Amino acid sequence: MWLSDTQKIGVGLTAFGLFFMLMGVMMFFDGGLLAIGNVLFLAGLTLVIGTQKTIYFFARKQKIRGTACFFGGILLVFLKWPFIGVIVELFGFINLFGDFFPVVIGFLRRLPVIGNVLSAPGISKIVDRLSGQRLPV
């Protein structure tokens, strides 16, 4: 699958958004970095999947609680409550994107170094629980 130039820019914006959010958390919940990360993440997501699909994704009836928490957390970060905002945003993120975790974990297991780490005895049990995979007994 080839990405268009707009989608490539969107992937870059999404990656930078996640990086800024990570740095904001590492810098003891710096509100400025978190706000920039949120804006970049949303802009990148919109460029990757398109405006209408983004609106449809966030407006689905099954995901309304996740959408409200995600955007409520972003609003709290903008209103200078970064710690509580990140917690609320993380809850919304898990509710919105939780269906993608098994796919992401399956992809990460196929990577050379990360796959070996995820297959380690102690870590594999945790990863299996996160991805929802059950081993046959």
Side-chain angles (χ1 to χ4, degrees):
M1 179 174 115
W2 297 100
L3 296 175
S4 68
D5 289 339
T6 305
Q7 289 174 323
K8 290 176 186 176
I9 293 170
V11 169
L13 287 177
T14 304
F16 274 118
L18 292 173
F19 173 74
F20 274 100
M21 283 192 263
L22 178 67
M23 291 304 296
V25 170
M26 289 176 62
M27 299 291 179
F28 301 111
F29 295 94
D30 181 47
L33 289 174
L34 291 170
I36 291 170
N38 286 328
V39 170
L40 289 175
F41 178 78
L42 289 176
L45 183 68
T46 303
L47 288 176
V48 169
I49 65 174
T51 306
Q52 289 189 346
K53 288 183 182 178
T54 303
I55 292 170
Y56 176 73
F57 177 77
F58 284 112
R60 286 186 301 179
K61 190 175 182 178
Q62 311 91 299
K63 304 284 186 176
I64 198 71
R65 181 177 64 174
T67 300
C69 288
F70 186 72
F71 285 111
I74 291 174
L75 181 67
L76 286 172
V77 168
F78 286 156
L79 295 176
K80 304 289 184 185
W81 289 59
F83 183 73
I84 295 171
V86 167
I87 292 172
V88 172
E89 189 177 341
L90 184 64
F91 178 76
F93 185 85
I94 291 171
N95 279 320
L96 281 172
F97 299 102
D99 298 340
F100 299 118
F101 288 159
V103 175
V104 171
I105 290 174
F107 172 74
L108 290 175
R109 282 189 168 165
R110 292 187 200 122
L111 295 176
V113 175
I114 298 173
N116 293 335
V117 171
L118 294 178
S119 297
I123 297 174
S124 66
K125 290 181 183 180
I126 297 169
V127 171
D128 288 341
R129 181 174 284 172
L130 283 175
S131 66
Q133 295 176 355
R134 305 247 185 232
L135 298 175
V137 178

